[in-house]
Amino acid sequence: MSSSEKNVQNFSLLVDGKEAFPEILRCIEQAEKSIRINMFIWRDDTIGNRIASAVLAAAERGVQVDISVDRYGVVLEKTEECKKSFFHKQQSLTEKVKTAALELLYPMEGAPKRARDEETALYRAIMNHPNIRVERDKFKADHSKFYIFDDETLILGGVNIEDKENGCDMQGRVYQDYMVKLTGRAYVDAFLAKLERGEECGEGYSFGANVKEPQRRFEMERRYLELIRQAREELVITMAYFSPLPQFLEAIAAAYRRGVAVTVLVPERANFQSDTNRKTVKKLLKMSDNGITVYFSPKMVHTKLVANESWASFGSTNITKKAFRQLSELNLFLPRGSETAQQLMESVRENHALSCPVKDWRAVKYNGLLAWLEGFLV
């Protein structure tokens, strides 16, 4: 076993919310000193309340809890599913207009037309508890999701706190995503060094991050492009929201032209930006004369993954202008020889087997007007 592989032995891959949420709840229940949660979406639904109840119980036994839920997420919280936010009970006029616009663009069958967000007893208990600090009103545009327990355990990835991540959404789409658990103070220290000071402290793995504070450091566009441009044998991309950015289209097409086996998977029917996804893969197929392998997944693939034969990266970062220029994001980079990366890629291959291959760019249809409008959003 190489030194790189040894340094990631304490990593555990968590596939979908069905694996992630039980482990998150277990870590909350076992925490003795501190819990830190940074979340994009936290809905007032079944899993949202289960995690909130566990957090309250931890605070009751003396654990200090720090929660940051970005105000940026409130529009999405109110647009789909139960349309209830656990922490954001009121919307500004601007937020209401944005929500109404998204509801018009993306009508979601099965979701309520409107929902009253009431201050539940659990919500009030959390907001008033002396051991719980909640930051919920700051618009940070922070799309990252992570947990830190007792400064000894880190869980990060792409899973929000919402029921659809724990199975399927109200339209029946099965959600697919990943989290990873890193056990050991050294990993937490390396993670915080990256976020707070931009330092690379890990050995055999690394964190990729877009960070606005205390100093703006945006690197995920560069890191993704490096993975693509360094590919010599294999390039695998699984992306929830995939915009046709010229530098990425050309880098992927160039990888194909130099003999790299390129595989791209996107959801067949995404909750948002589905027409943009289709526009992107159609362009890639056309640029490669249908040589790139493209799959439409029947699942709502919420995964953000780019891998070549040497490294795999996954986390919160989509391939969109907003992800690269506006949002705080977080990914983990692992050597492909590590056990966790092998498990990750096996899961990716399983998703390929369940998906529909697209043989010809002419068969890819999308709404040009909606894709154009989405271009302003993503």
Side-chain angles (χ1 to χ4, degrees), residues 204-218:
Y205 69 96
S206 69
F207 300 105
N210 291 347
V211 178
K212 294 182 178 180
E213 297 177 352
Q215 183 180 11
R216 183 181 173 90
R217 300 184 304 273
F218 272 43

Side-chain angles (χ1 to χ4, degrees), residues 48-60:
N49 279 271
R50 284 187 63 193
I51 291 180
S53 295
V55 163
L56 180 61
E60 287 290 311

Side-chain angles (χ1 to χ4, degrees), residues 91-108:
Q91 280 186 294
S92 68
L93 178 59
T94 299
E95 289 166 345
K96 288 179 180 178
V97 171
K98 290 180 178 179
T99 297
L102 283 179
E103 288 178 321
L104 182 63
L105 285 173
Y106 304 103
M108 297 193 176

Side-chain angles (χ1 to χ4, degrees), residues 314-327:
F314 66 101
S316 71
T317 314
N318 290 292
I319 296 180
T320 66
K321 288 184 295 184
K322 186 165 287 188
F324 296 140
R325 308 294 168 82
Q326 297 180 32
L327 301 179

Side-chain angles (χ1 to χ4, degrees), residues 68-131:
S68 177
V69 185
D70 198 339
R71 185 75 194 183
Y72 181 77
V74 66
V75 171
L76 297 178
E77 289 173 332
K78 305 284 190 178
T79 296
E80 58 176 347
E81 297 301 290
C82 67
K83 300 189 177 180
K84 291 184 178 182
S85 169
F86 191 87
F87 286 104
H88 301 130
K89 299 302 184 183
Q90 303 294 328
Q91 280 186 294
S92 68
L93 178 59
T94 299
E95 289 166 345
K96 288 179 180 178
V97 171
K98 290 180 178 179
T99 297
L102 283 179
E103 288 178 321
L104 182 63
L105 285 173
Y106 304 103
M108 297 193 176
E109 185 180 346
K113 291 185 177 179
R114 59 183 60 86
R116 289 187 61 188
D117 250 339
E118 298 179 349
E119 295 187 2
T120 63
L122 177 58
Y123 164 83
R124 289 193 295 270
I126 285 179
M127 294 303 297
N128 294 317
H129 201 286
N131 290 337

Side-chain angles (χ1 to χ4, degrees), residues 8 11 13 156-158 176-180 194 200 204-210 219-231 234-240 248 263 265 301-319 323-324 329-338 340-345 348:
V8 295
F11 292 17
L13 184 69
L156 63 91
Q176 197 280 312
D177 209 341
Y178 302 100
M179 298 290 273
V180 63
K194 179 67 173 183
E200 299 286 356
Y205 69 96
S206 69
F207 300 105
N210 291 347
E219 66 178 20
M220 281 308 304
E221 180 177 9
R222 173 182 60 81
R223 298 288 299 273
Y224 270 173
L225 283 170
E226 285 175 352
L227 284 180
I228 295 168
R229 289 167 176 163
Q230 291 170 3
E234 180 183 36
L235 176 62
V236 179
I237 298 173
T238 301
M239 202 56 51
F248 278 85
T263 304
L265 182 146
V301 176
H302 197 245
T303 303
K304 296 87 173 168
L305 175 144
V306 179
N308 61 24
E309 67 276 5
S310 301
W311 289 88
S313 175
F314 66 101
S316 71
T317 314
N318 290 292
I319 296 180
F324 296 140
E329 301 282 11
L330 177 63
N331 273 49
L332 178 66
F333 288 72
L334 292 173
R336 282 289 296 270
S338 66
T340 303
Q342 291 176 18
Q343 292 171 349
L344 173 68
M345 299 312 295
V348 169

Side-chain angles (χ1 to χ4, degrees), residues 129-249:
H129 201 286
N131 290 337
I132 302 177
R133 291 192 292 262
V134 178
E135 182 182 65
R136 58 171 180 163
D137 295 323
K138 190 173 181 181
F139 188 99
K140 300 183 295 179
D142 187 349
H143 189 238
S144 64
K145 300 99 176 170
F146 66 85
Y147 306 76
I148 300 175
F149 305 97
D150 291 336
D151 293 326
E152 293 281 353
T153 301
L154 168 67
I155 295 178
L156 63 91
V159 176
N160 289 299
I161 299 176
E162 52 186 343
D163 283 346
K164 66 180 183 180
E165 297 267 25
N166 205 28
C168 63
D169 65 11
M170 289 184 175
Q171 298 183 77
R173 291 174 294 207
V174 175
Y175 263 62
Q176 197 280 312
D177 209 341
Y178 302 100
M179 298 290 273
V180 63
K181 176 185 174 185
L182 291 68
T183 305
R185 182 176 290 270
Y187 302 119
V188 176
D189 289 345
F191 174 71
L192 294 176
K194 179 67 173 183
L195 284 193
E196 295 169 2
R197 301 184 297 278
E199 296 178 3
E200 299 286 356
C201 298
E203 184 180 352
Y205 69 96
S206 69
F207 300 105
N210 291 347
V211 178
K212 294 182 178 180
E213 297 177 352
Q215 183 180 11
R216 183 181 173 90
R217 300 184 304 273
F218 272 43
E219 66 178 20
M220 281 308 304
E221 180 177 9
R222 173 182 60 81
R223 298 288 299 273
Y224 270 173
L225 283 170
E226 285 175 352
L227 284 180
I228 295 168
R229 289 167 176 163
Q230 291 170 3
R232 292 296 177 267
E233 300 173 10
E234 180 183 36
L235 176 62
V236 179
I237 298 173
T238 301
M239 202 56 51
Y241 312 114
F242 195 175
S243 296
L245 303 179
Q247 66 272 34
F248 278 85
L249 295 180

